[in-house]
């Protein structure tokens, strides 16, 4: 089972690489180098703030976009092109293994991608500030949270991909991402309302993927430390959410006629 | 080991012939008694397997793609699954492969449920018009599939190379498949169906998309897999392909099974005619009296009559002063059988044309 999951995950990764997904790294590199050179010239004091904001936001957005673009086709494209036939029909591969393998493969791809971007980002930071400081450790936490965001968005895109077309899946996944970035605001808004509305709003705010709690970029840019319990809570939250969404994806996919 | 395989094949054949006679006599194949020991376990069994689709967006109409199929394929057989376009061949294979779920009925492969992973490791499948990850090379693809099928790491490279060689794709093994022709994809499709050395192989129209040489190679390949003791179930609408390699065939039309049997038996069942060739005298009137028509070509006469008329025809020709050259039973082709099963001359004629093409 582990062998098959690994094989499916690796093939997903390889397909992404062959589809030239990693080329985004070039764009990222140009962006970060350009930014570092530019900020280095104009100001003193806020270089770190600017670079951290720009670098981490790019790492996050690049990854989210890739996750949605690849995720929405992970299952539906394979059904449509019938590449799935030779994978699932006469091999001891269970349908859930296919889903989980795909999920791990895409999360792996995004992690590798984020790793290279982070390396570039830290190099640029070192170039600007000449040495790392204590607060830079929190940047790693911010990057970890970005990876958690990838886990969330991948599971959602994959879920939609099990029953709808790539275009619709993209719309669904992207909408949820946007709504999710305002999850905390929704929660705050719910507190201000009364009765039925309050219940609905609170329920909604917990149901949508909470991307806002996973975004600590401006915080770490201002060298405000991230509390340890947030790391723990966010990890548990994302784990629970991803497990639930993946289970839903498996349930839907198990029932489907692959024609 | 070889001896075992031999007895097993022999056994399977005896049983399958017996079973097939019983079927022709009107019995349901599923109810044929076979010894339920290891040796004679059927490779494929379906019990009233059915699938319907609901088509139409607003007003759902029911489309029966497969109606209550009961069929048994024995181990070691090459089984041809014949039918015109839209007969339900692909639907049957998708059902057996667990890609779509039956609307009714059930099936077992190698005695196991359709989703049993241990069974799945022992079967291979070539889909209709196969399509693969086109960013991969055949070698990468087959390595991936071998891995999924549980071929141990140390055997993988060898088995991949061997199966690619078997379908004549060794030279293109390192080229990305986006550059492949239809026939090349078909070959890769066959290679992936046998890479893990399965006991039972399902092929959906294995010869489609291939040139005449390719078709013969596939036929030879099926033959050699058969000699290795493997069971092969393949669909086709090209009768000559089926006729040359199949132990038994089933004929399907509009989702219904129209007949199952050994090719030779099916064929003799249909014909029952004899061809007479003679010289000397035309004997037109005598032949006409027997219900035949005499054809002449360069002073040689020829006619076709029913089996029962043989003796009287010989007497008639001799009596008229003719000199017999040959009297041969007309060997019906599978095509004749096929046409007779599809109900000659009626509204199926459109289908038949595609079939006999
Ligand atoms: N997904 C589907 N939705 C609706 N109808 C379908 C579907 N798949 C197959 N059918 C119908 O079921 C019938 C049988 O189709 P099937 O593909 O099994 O035929 P076939 O024997 O393989 O034909 P061919 O020789 O053309 O490959 C056809 O009438 C087809 O229209
Ligand atoms: Mg078909």
């Amino acid at each position: 089972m582990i062998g098959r999951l690994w094989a499916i995950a690796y093939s997903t990764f390889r397909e992404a690489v062959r589809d030239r997904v990693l080329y985004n790294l070039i764009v990222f590199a140009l962006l970060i180098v350009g930014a570092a050179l530019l900020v280095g010239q104009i100001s003193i004091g806020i270089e770190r703030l600017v670079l951290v904001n720009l670098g981490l936001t790019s790492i996050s957005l690049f990854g989210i976009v890739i996750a949605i673009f690849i995720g929405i086709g992970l299952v539906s494209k394979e059904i449509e092109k019938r590449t799935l036939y030779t994978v699932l029909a006469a091999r001891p591969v269970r349908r859930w293994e296919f889903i989980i393998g795909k999920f791990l493969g895409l999360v792996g791809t995004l992690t590798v991608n984020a790793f290279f971007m982070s390396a570039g980002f830290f190099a640029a930071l070192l170039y600007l500030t000449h040495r790392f400081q204590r607060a830079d450790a929190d940047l790693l936490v911010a990057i970890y949270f970005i990876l958690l965001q990838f886990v969330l968005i991948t599971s959602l895109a994959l879920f939609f991909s099990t029953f709808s077309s790539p275009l619709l899946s993209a719309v669904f996944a992207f909408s949820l991402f946007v709504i999710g970035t305002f999850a905390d605001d929704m929660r705050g808004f719910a507190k201000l309302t009364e009765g039925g509305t309050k219940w609905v709003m609170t329920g909604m705010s917990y149901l949508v993927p909470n991307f806002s709690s996973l975004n600590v970029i401006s915080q770490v840019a201002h060298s405000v430390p991230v509390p340890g319990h947030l790391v723990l809570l966010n990890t548990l939250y994302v784990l629970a959410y991803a497990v639930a969404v993946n289970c839903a994806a498996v349930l839907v996919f198990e029932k489907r006629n692959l024609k | 080991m070889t001896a075992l395989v031999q007895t097993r094949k022999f056994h399977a054949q005896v049983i399958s012939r017996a079973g097939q006679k019983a079927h022709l006599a009107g019995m349901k194949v599923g109810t044929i008694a076979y010894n339920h020991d290891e040796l004679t376990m059927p490779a494929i069994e379906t019990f009233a397997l059915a699938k319907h689709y609901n088509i139409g967006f607003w007003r759902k109409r029911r489309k029966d793609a497969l109606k209550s199929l009961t069929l048994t394929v024995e181990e070691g057989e090459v089984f041809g699954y014949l039918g015109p376009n839209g007969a339900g061949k692909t639907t049957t294979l998708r059902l057996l492969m667990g890609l779509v779920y039956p609307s009714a009925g059930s099936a077992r492969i190698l005695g196991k449920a359709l989703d049993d992973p241990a069974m799945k490791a022992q079967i291979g499948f070539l889909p209709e018009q196969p399509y693969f990850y086109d960013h991969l090379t055949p070698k990468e693809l087959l390595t991936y599939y071998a891995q999924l099928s549980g071929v141990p790491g140390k055997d993988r490279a060898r088995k991949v190379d061997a199966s690619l060689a078997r379908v004549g794709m060794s030279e293109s093994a390192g080229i990305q498949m986006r550059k492949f022709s239809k026939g090349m994809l078909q070959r890769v499709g066959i290679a992936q169906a046998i890479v893990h050395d399965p006991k039972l192989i399902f092929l959906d129209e294995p010869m489609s998309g291939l040139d005449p040489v390719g078709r013969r190679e596939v036929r030879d390949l099926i033959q050699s897999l058969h000699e290795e003791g493997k069971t092969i179930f393949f669909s086709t609408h090209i009768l000559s392909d089926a006729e040359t390699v199949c132990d038994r065939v089933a004929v399907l039309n509009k989702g219904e099974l129209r007949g199952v049997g050994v090719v030779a038996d099916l064929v003799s069942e249909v014909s029952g005619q004899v061809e007479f060739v003679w010289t000397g005298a035309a004997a037109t009137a005598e032949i006409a009296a027997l219900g035949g028509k005499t054809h002449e070509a360069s002073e040689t006469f020829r006619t076709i009559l029913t089996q029962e008329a043989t003796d009287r025809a010989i007497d008639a020709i001799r009596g008229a002063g003719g000199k017999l050259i040959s009297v041969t039973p007309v060997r019906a082709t599978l095509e004749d059988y096929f046409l007779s099963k599809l109900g000659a001359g009626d509204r199926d004629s459109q289908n038949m044309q595609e079939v006999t093409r």
Side-chain angles (χ1 to χ4, degrees):
Chain A
M1 181 199 92
I2 300 292
R4 290 192 295 272
L5 284 181
W6 164 253
I8 294 168
Y10 176 70
S11 86
T12 310
F13 172 75
R14 180 166 55 184
E15 178 166 9
V17 172
R18 298 255 166 108
D19 282 347
R20 303 182 173 78
V21 161
L22 297 184
Y23 280 16
N24 79 95
L25 290 174
I26 297 174
V27 180
F28 178 81
L30 291 177
L31 196 81
I32 208 83
V33 168
L37 291 177
L38 212 69
V39 202
Q41 277 176 11
I42 49 170
S43 56
I44 16 166
I46 62 155
E47 303 101 326
R48 185 176 180 278
L49 181 76
V50 173
L51 193 75
V52 168
N53 262 320
L54 185 94
L56 294 188
T57 306
S58 312
I59 292 178
S60 158
L61 283 184
F62 275 56
I64 297 280
V65 168
I66 294 174
I68 293 180
F69 262 82
I70 300 184
I72 54 170
L74 276 184
V75 178
S76 54
K77 213 175 72 192
E78 296 233 2
I79 294 178
E80 196 191 323
K81 288 192 168 177
R82 293 182 294 124
T83 43
L84 217 92
Y85 280 20
T86 38
V87 174
L88 286 183
R91 319 243 173 245
V93 179
R94 293 188 180 265
R95 289 195 180 184
W96 71 262
E97 292 176 338
F98 181 76
I99 296 287
I100 303 303
K102 284 278 169 189
F103 171 76
L104 295 176
L106 183 49
V107 169
T109 309
L110 294 165
T111 306
V112 169
N113 196 48
F115 173 81
F116 285 118
M117 289 200 276
S118 305
F121 164 70
F122 277 114
L125 190 65
L126 191 62
Y127 165 79
L128 267 191
T129 58
H130 304 298
R131 61 186 179 86
F132 288 127
Q133 51 192 91
R134 179 73 188 76
D136 290 342
D138 272 338
L139 297 178
L140 288 173
V141 177
I143 292 172
Y144 171 65
F145 283 2
I146 290 173
L147 292 180
L148 291 182
Q149 293 184 19
F150 295 167
V151 171
L152 275 191
I153 196 71
T154 300
S155 60
L156 287 168
L158 181 63
F159 168 63
F160 292 127
S161 172
T162 56
F163 61 85
S164 75
S165 71
L167 187 67
L168 272 182
S169 301
V171 172
F172 291 149
F174 191 72
S175 313
L176 271 182
F177 172 67
V178 172
I179 297 172
T181 28
F182 297 112
D184 276 350
D185 297 327
M186 272 172 82
R187 208 159 295 171
F189 180 66
K191 288 212 179 77
L192 302 176
T193 54
E194 284 297 322
T197 328
K198 181 171 185 157
W199 281 103
V200 172
M201 286 302 289
T202 313
M204 287 274 289
S205 70
Y206 279 102
L207 215 59
V208 298
N210 191 337
F211 284 100
S212 48
S213 300
L214 292 169
N215 186 346
V216 290
I217 295 175
S218 65
Q219 203 174 329
V220 296
H222 286 100
S223 304
V224 180
V226 182
H229 74 271
L230 189 64
V231 178
L232 185 68
L233 280 180
N234 273 344
T235 306
L236 291 177
Y237 170 76
V238 169
L239 272 180
Y241 203 97
V243 166
V245 177
N246 273 317
C247 282
V250 167
L251 284 179
V252 173
F253 188 57
E254 293 272 3
K255 295 242 154 50
R256 275 203 71 169
N257 281 319
L258 308 176
K259 52 198 174 187
Chain B
M1 181 59 206
T2 331
L4 180 66
V5 172
Q6 288 291 338
T7 18
R8 192 153 150 170
K9 268 169 73 179
F10 177 68
H11 201 132
Q13 208 143 56
V14 170
I15 298 255
S16 74
R17 281 188 188 250
Q20 108 81 14
K21 285 272 159 53
H23 176 80
L24 290 178
M27 265 168 74
K28 273 265 155 56
V29 182
T31 60
I32 293 164
Y34 19 62
N35 294 337
H36 270 285
D37 62 4
E38 268 282 293
L39 285 181
T40 58
M41 179 188 65
I44 308 166
E45 291 172 289
T46 72
F47 310 101
L49 192 64
K51 179 73 185 174
H52 64 252
Y53 291 106
N54 290 319
I55 52 174
F57 193 76
W58 297 112
R59 281 199 17 242
K60 296 277 183 205
R61 275 176 306 123
R62 189 180 141 133
K63 163 90 200 169
D64 287 301
L66 188 67
K67 298 173 196 163
S68 194
L69 176 76
T70 299
L71 187 71
T72 304
V73 175
E74 301 296 338
E75 223 171 87
E77 275 192 301
V78 176
F79 194 96
Y81 199 49
L82 310 178
N85 291 128
K89 306 181 294 293
T90 300
T91 302
T92 309
L93 282 161
R94 285 183 192 162
L95 284 165
L96 289 174
M97 292 299 106
L99 292 166
V100 300
Y101 298 116
S103 312
S106 65
R108 295 179 84 74
I109 294 178
L110 300 173
K112 303 271 174 38
L114 295 185
D115 61 353
D116 185 307
M119 172 277 283
K120 290 224 169 197
Q122 298 183 55
I123 62 173
F125 172 50
L126 165 74
E128 190 174 30
Q129 295 161 10
Y131 185 84
F132 306 106
Y133 303 103
D134 57 12
H135 61 278
L136 296 184
T137 68
K139 201 165 183 153
E140 289 167 335
L141 182 86
L142 262 65
T143 307
Y144 174 44
Y145 285 161
Q147 200 176 359
L148 290 182
S149 291
V151 176
K154 60 178 166 46
D155 299 338
R156 249 175 248 154
R158 185 174 50 79
K159 290 203 171 178
V160 166
D161 290 342
S163 57
L164 283 172
R166 235 174 146 168
V167 297
M169 287 296 292
S170 295
E171 278 171 26
S172 316
I175 302 173
Q176 279 195 8
M177 283 182 289
R178 63 175 101 238
K179 294 166 191 153
F180 276 16
S181 71
K182 196 171 155 210
M184 290 165 91
L185 286 175
Q186 186 76 8
R187 283 163 194 262
V188 174
I190 297 172
Q192 64 79 32
I194 57 175
V195 66
H196 50 298
D197 201 17
K199 276 170 79 170
L200 168 57
I201 303 157
F202 296 85
L203 307 165
D204 199 352
E205 309 212 359
M207 283 98 168
S208 89
L210 295 175
D211 56 27
V213 177
R215 302 177 94 82
R216 214 199 46 230
E217 284 170 359
V218 170
R219 239 167 18 223
D220 294 347
L221 178 67
I222 291 177
Q223 212 108 51
S224 82
L225 290 168
H226 180 43
E227 278 154 22
E228 288 165 28
K230 300 191 187 305
T231 312
I232 294 146
F233 181 91
F234 78 95
S235 83
T236 182
H237 46 218
I238 293 151
L239 299 165
S240 57
D241 289 337
E243 199 158 17
T244 43
V245 292
C246 291
D247 294 322
R248 286 200 303 154
V249 295
V251 176
L252 193 75
N253 189 31
K254 298 192 172 161
E256 272 175 300
L257 189 63
R258 294 298 178 85
V260 192
V262 175
V263 175
D265 293 353
L266 293 182
V267 159
S268 65
E269 183 193 21
V270 179
S271 172
Q273 291 184 316
V274 181
E275 187 193 45
F276 300 83
V277 181
W278 71 97
T279 53
T284 316
E286 290 84 347
I287 296 298
L290 292 170
K293 196 161 180 275
T294 312
H295 304 275
E296 187 192 344
S298 56
E299 285 166 21
T300 307
F301 306 95
R302 201 177 66 87
T303 190
I304 291 179
L305 293 168
T306 57
Q307 195 109 46
E308 299 84 63
T310 309
D311 287 339
R312 279 180 290 149
I314 292 174
D315 292 344
I317 292 166
R318 285 192 172 148
K323 188 172 177 299
L324 274 165
I325 295 176
S326 71
V327 179
T328 13
V330 176
R331 191 178 160 279
T333 59
L334 200 50
E335 200 156 302
D336 299 326
Y337 177 76
F338 204 71
L339 294 179
S340 79
K341 281 295 161 185
L342 299 187
D346 65 4
R347 56 195 139 65
D348 285 335
S349 58
Q350 208 185 341
N351 279 340
M352 288 192 297
Q353 264 162 17
E354 285 175 75
V355 162
T356 52
R357 170 187 65 188

